[in-house]
Amino acid sequence: MASQQPKKTQPTPATLDGTDLTILAALVEDGRMTNAALAARVGVAESTCAYRVRALRESGVITSINARLDLGALGHPIHAIIRVRLGSHSREHVGTLYDRLVDVPGALTVLHVGGIDDFLLHVAVASPEELRDLILEHVTVHPMVRQTETQLVFEVRDGRGVLDR
Amino acid sequence: MASQQPKKTQPTPATLDGTDLTILAALVEDGRMTNAALAARVGVAESTCAYRVRALRESGVITSINARLDLGALGHPIHAIIRVRLGSHSREHVGTLYDRLVDVPGALTVLHVGGIDDFLLHVAVASPEELRDLILEHVTVHPMVRQTETQLVFEVRDGRGVLDR
DNA sequence: TTTGAAATAAATGCTAG
DNA sequence: CTAGCATTTATTTCAAA
C-alpha cells in the first residue's frame, strides 16, 4: 500500500497552477469523480483535464487513489495508538522494527517520530483482548522495544488539509 | 472530507463474503480500478461486480474514495504530531476544541484519544517556523488547552490494514 | 499546452435465469 | 444474487492551433 509523506519527496517542488490545485482538491474529495465532471468544475476541456490529471499522477503529486473503509463494519471497531519506545536506536534495529510494525495485522499507520517516542502505531482491532494480544505478540515481543503506552482512540477526523483556499 | 472509524459505525456489522473482501482489498489498493478489471480479478460478471460495489458504498462499508497527495511536492514537507492536553474536560470545551483543531490549516488528522493526551493533531507544514506559528495561533491560543507537546514525524507508512488474508 | 471530434473502452439499465 | 446484451456514458487519441 502507498505511504504518506514525509519519506522521499520530489526534488522539484513542482509548479502547480490554480487549475492543478482545483483538480487536486476535487480528487481528494472524490477520487472517482469522472473526468468530464472534473473538467466542468475546473473549466477546461476534457482532454486538457485528462492531460493534467495524468501529469499530476506521473509526477507523483497524486500518489494514489484509495478506497476508505468503515472498519467497524469490518469487525474492527476499536482503535488505539500504541506508542513504542526502543532501548537500542541502531539504524538496523530501528529499521527492522519499523518493517515489523507495518506488518502487524490491523495496523493502519505507523509513524516514525522524534521526541519521547520512536513509533506511533495506529491499529484497529476487534476487541480489547485482541489489542492486548496484538501488543504482546507483535510489539513487546521484540527485544529492542523497551516500553509501550497505549491510548484508546475515541474518534478520528480528517483535518482541512493543505489545500485550503 | 470523510472521517475514519471509530465514530459512528453501522449497527449491522454487515455480512461480507469472500467476493466482497476481494473487492474491498482491490479498491483500497487502487480506488480507480475499472469495474471491468475488478470483475476479472474477483471472477464475477461485470454487472455483478458493479452491483456489489454499489451495495458496499450504499451500506457505508466503503466510506469514500480519495486521492492522496505528495504533501512535500505541495510545499508542506514537514510533518508533526502535536499532542494536546486540556485543562477543562467539559463536553462543550472538548467539542469546541475538536472542531477548531479539525479546521487548522495543514491539519491532516485529528484523533480524540483517552489516556495522557486528549487530542493528537497530525499536521503538515512548510517550515519549522510555520509549525511554531500554527501551534501558537491555532492550538495554545485556546484557553482550555493546558499543554502541548510536539513530535517531529520522520516518516509515515501505511500498515497492512485489516484485510489481511 | 490546449482543444474538439472521432474512435475505443467502460459503466449502466434491462431482461431474464 | 447473478449474467448477458443493448444503450448510454466516459476516456483516449490525435491532428491542429
Side-chain angles (χ1 to χ4, degrees), chain A residues 83 113-117 120, chain B residues 78-85 117 119-125 127-128 130-136 139-140 145 147-154:
Chain A
R83 301 168 52 193
V113 300
I116 301 169
D117 306 303
L120 302 183
Chain B
I78 299 189
H79 286 223
I81 295 288
I82 303 166
R83 300 168 53 193
V84 180
R85 292 173 206 169
D117 307 302
F119 294 103
L120 302 183
L121 173 59
H122 184 182
V123 297
V125 294
S127 66
E130 194 178 297
L131 179 57
R132 174 198 58 195
D133 294 344
L134 181 154
I135 294 170
L136 291 175
V139 184
T140 57
V145 173
Q147 188 186 14
T148 69
E149 208 166 294
T150 302
Q151 298 182 317
L152 186 64
V153 176
F154 298 138

Side-chain angles (χ1 to χ4, degrees), chain A residues 2 31 65-66 68 116 149 158, chain B residues 2 31 65-66 68 73 116 149 158:
Chain A
I65 296 182
N66 326 91
R68 299 173 72 180
I116 301 169
E149 208 166 295
D158 284 344
Chain B
I65 296 182
N66 325 92
R68 298 172 72 179
I116 301 170
E149 208 166 294
D158 285 343

Side-chain angles (χ1 to χ4, degrees), chain B residues 28-90:
Chain B
V28 165
E29 200 184 286
D30 176 8
R32 268 204 97 118
M33 178 173 285
T34 67
N35 183 65
L38 245 190
R41 176 155 165 181
V42 173
V44 295
E46 292 183 22
S47 49
T48 304
C49 188
Y51 175 89
R52 292 283 194 129
V53 172
R54 179 143 54 96
L56 288 168
R57 299 198 69 159
E58 288 181 353
S59 71
V61 175
I62 296 173
T63 55
S64 65
I65 296 182
N66 325 92
R68 298 172 72 179
L69 310 180
D70 179 341
L71 301 182
L74 288 167
H76 292 247
I78 299 189
H79 286 223
I81 295 288
I82 303 166
R83 300 168 53 193
V84 180
R85 292 173 206 169
L86 302 195
S88 156
H89 289 81
S90 74

